[in-house]
Amino acid sequence: MKEHYKGLGHIAIYTADMEQSIAFYENIGGSVFKRDGVQTPDGEKKLALVEFGGFLLELIEPPAGTLVPSGEGSIPHFAVYVDDLDKTAADLKAAGIISFTAPEKKVLPNTFGGLQNWFFTGPSGEQIELLQML
């Protein structure tokens, strides 16, 4: 059955503020690919596809007055491969990202053949992992 799979389609992230989320991802190197909306019984659900790190994020803003879903099925984080973790983190900090979850990167030489990573938080609480394999 694996011959049917063609790769990652996108990672969906709920947001309470579409414009804030788009601005955040554009600030750290992403770009809007497409924007759309879907009518629901509660009103319009706003959608945006953002190219970021070699894949697409689907940002979803529920209709006004409805809550952002959470709980079961939530994705705890997504990872972006980087070529130089220290340089990437420095560039993000220079761009105003202050939401790193630890004061410095983690180096895990025995995990998956060796890696280093550093997490930061996006505007909707999503955890983003910068990942460099050693």
Side-chain angles (χ1 to χ4, degrees):
M1 195 157 56
K2 69 180 181 180
E3 69 274 6
H4 297 297
Y5 305 125
K6 303 299 180 195
L8 179 65
H10 64 262
I11 297 169
I13 299 173
Y14 279 106
T15 179
D17 187 327
M18 180 65 73
E19 299 311 314
Q20 179 187 23
S21 290
I22 287 173
F24 173 83
Y25 284 104
E26 287 180 333
N27 186 45
I28 63 172
S31 62
V32 173
F33 177 63
K34 291 183 180 178
R35 293 178 79 137
D36 213 332
V38 175
Q39 284 301 322
T40 72
D42 295 323
E44 184 184 31
K45 181 188 327 183
K46 296 178 185 176
L47 305 171
L49 290 175
V50 176
E51 292 178 311
F52 177 70
F55 54 88
L56 291 174
L57 299 174
E58 180 185 26
L59 303 177
I60 304 168
E61 182 181 321
T66 60
L67 297 176
V68 173
S70 63
E72 289 185 35
S74 294
I75 297 172
H77 74 272
F78 66 89
V80 179
Y81 282 121
V82 298
D83 59 354
D84 184 329
L85 181 59
D86 295 318
K87 176 80 170 102
T88 303
D91 289 348
L92 287 168
K93 289 177 180 181
I97 303 304
I98 58 170
S99 59
F100 282 86
T101 61
E104 57 187 49
K105 67 183 178 184
K106 282 187 184 175
V107 178
L108 304 166
N110 298 317
T111 302
F112 300 130
L115 65 86
Q116 55 184 0
N117 66 3
W118 208 342
F119 288 83
F120 64 102
T121 303
S124 298
E126 68 273 23
Q127 295 293 302
I128 304 162
E129 177 185 6
L130 302 174
L131 176 62
Q132 182 179 358
M133 304 308 289
L134 301 175

